[in-house]
Amino acid sequence: MSEQLRAAVIGAGYWGPNLARNFRTSPDWDLVAVCDLDEDRARKVVGPRSTVDVTTDVHALLARDDVDAVAIATPARTHAPLVLAALEAGKHVVVEKPIADRGTAAREMVRRAAELDRVLMVDHTFCYTAPVLKMRELVADGALGDVHFVDSVRINLGLVQPDVDVFWDLAPHDLSILDFVLPGGLVPTAVAAQGADPLGAGQACVGYLTLPLPDGAIAHVHVNWLSPTKIRRMVIGGSKRTLVWDDLSPQQRLTVYDRGVDLGQSLSDKTQANVSYRLGDAWAPALPEREALGVMVAELADAIREGRAPRTDGHAGLRVLDVLESASLSLADGGRLTPVRTDAATPAETPLETVA
């Protein structure tokens, strides 16, 4: 058993308590401090009898020599200054999604982490769930064949956010999953975004993203704050099989269908195509049960100890952010197809078992 690493959590609002709990229960970590501008809120996170320190001074926290890594769970607009300050203080960092509120800031974070040889990780939580890990394994092993399409739906009667639209609130989950699962990561050449604000909230509450992918494939993402029914479903269609992930079906979250369309062509006349339908079996892979954040903090510890990039590193966060920024431009331009920056590094080849 390796010696425990020491962590601190900055931000005790919605997500910070979940991070603190998983650091406290992880055999890899010792949670030493929680920082929040509201001292009472931070104290509620650690509990009345806890020996974990509580502070409201982030600069004092980063100056401590008994903190190896910090987890930042604050609003996106604060990510860049906090992450950069933590990196300059010699800390490894895991930051809540999205990595930042703008691409220029995210690129500076990624660049500085590399210069200082510090781990910069983005908490793309769904990428550490058992279904998504299995999805990535099936795609990587070629069980689905070539990916032809992805259709993702994330809708519910959600909280209308005051500072971000539905794309920035919900779509990072789906985009991070696509980046994790697709070979080569999320590298669309462009994105088209259509949104609606039927409530008059001043920002899109219903949205649709269309992303052309390499080799003629396409991805579609639907996000919605206004649906009375909750749906979290992703369909990945391949040349061999189709995978369906229903996150709200506890008994069978993943189903693989050996069904699809085969297109045959006459060698003498390619305009004559023969379409046949393949109707095979369906099966549900067995999935282990483990909390995703527990897997995430273990991956952070392994990346630090092994001196490697974590699975959801700063580049992964940057690829997701680039799509979000282009989506905002497309939305402002009436939904036209808008180019996506392509200078974010492609995913590192980390073995699957490191995050299993």
Side-chain angles (χ1 to χ4, degrees), residues 95-110:
V95 61
E96 183 49 49
K97 61 84 183 169
I99 185 174
D101 62 345
R102 60 192 188 284
T104 53
R107 281 173 167 77
E108 175 62 15
M109 293 155 61
V110 170

Side-chain angles (χ1 to χ4, degrees), residues 265-273:
Q265 290 183 331
S266 168
L267 293 177
S268 58
D269 185 359
K270 292 186 178 182
T271 63
Q272 298 297 317

Side-chain angles (χ1 to χ4, degrees), residues 169-193:
D169 181 40
L170 297 183
H173 296 302
D174 306 271
L175 297 175
S176 66
I177 293 167
L178 291 177
D179 184 66
F180 189 70
V181 168
L182 293 176
L186 183 62
V187 287
T189 56
V191 59

Side-chain angles (χ1 to χ4, degrees), residues 84-128:
L84 290 170
L87 293 172
E88 297 294 342
K91 315 303 182 188
H92 303 283
V93 180
V94 57
V95 61
E96 183 49 49
K97 61 84 183 169
I99 185 174
D101 62 345
R102 60 192 188 284
T104 53
R107 281 173 167 77
E108 175 62 15
M109 293 155 61
V110 170
R111 182 188 67 81
R112 199 68 184 119
E115 290 176 348
L116 296 170
D117 195 25
R118 297 292 88 182
V119 168
L120 173 59
M121 182 177 186
V122 184
D123 179 16
H124 288 162
T125 310
F126 276 100
C127 298
Y128 299 95

Side-chain angles (χ1 to χ4, degrees), residues 243-271:
L243 182 154
V244 178
W245 171 37
D246 187 347
D247 198 41
L248 301 183
S249 177
Q251 301 303 318
Q252 190 168 319
R253 286 181 289 173
L254 275 189
T255 306
V256 180
Y257 294 90
D258 187 11
R259 304 171 187 172
V261 178
D262 294 324
L263 183 65
Q265 290 183 331
S266 168
L267 293 177
S268 58
D269 185 359
K270 292 186 178 182
T271 63

Side-chain angles (χ1 to χ4, degrees), residues 140-152:
D141 288 348
L144 306 186
D146 297 328
V147 174
H148 286 170
F149 72 90
V150 181
D151 190 30
S152 186

Side-chain angles (χ1 to χ4, degrees), residues 150-235:
V150 181
D151 190 30
S152 186
V153 180
R154 183 176 301 272
I155 66 175
N156 62 278
L157 201 60
L159 180 64
V160 176
Q161 302 292 331
D163 54 345
V164 294
D165 63 19
V166 70
F167 293 111
W168 283 77
D169 181 40
L170 297 183
H173 296 302
D174 306 271
L175 297 175
S176 66
I177 293 167
L178 291 177
D179 184 66
F180 189 70
V181 168
L182 293 176
L186 183 62
V187 287
T189 56
V191 59
Q194 289 83 35
D197 178 21
L199 296 183
Q203 55 204 356
C205 299
V206 181
Y208 302 85
L209 294 178
T210 302
L211 301 100
L213 299 174
D215 301 320
I218 193 169
H220 187 261
V221 177
H222 174 201
V223 287
N224 188 339
W225 282 329
L226 307 182
S227 172
T229 58
K230 185 175 184 178
I231 300 174
R232 289 182 180 175
R233 183 180 297 123
M234 181 176 287
V235 181

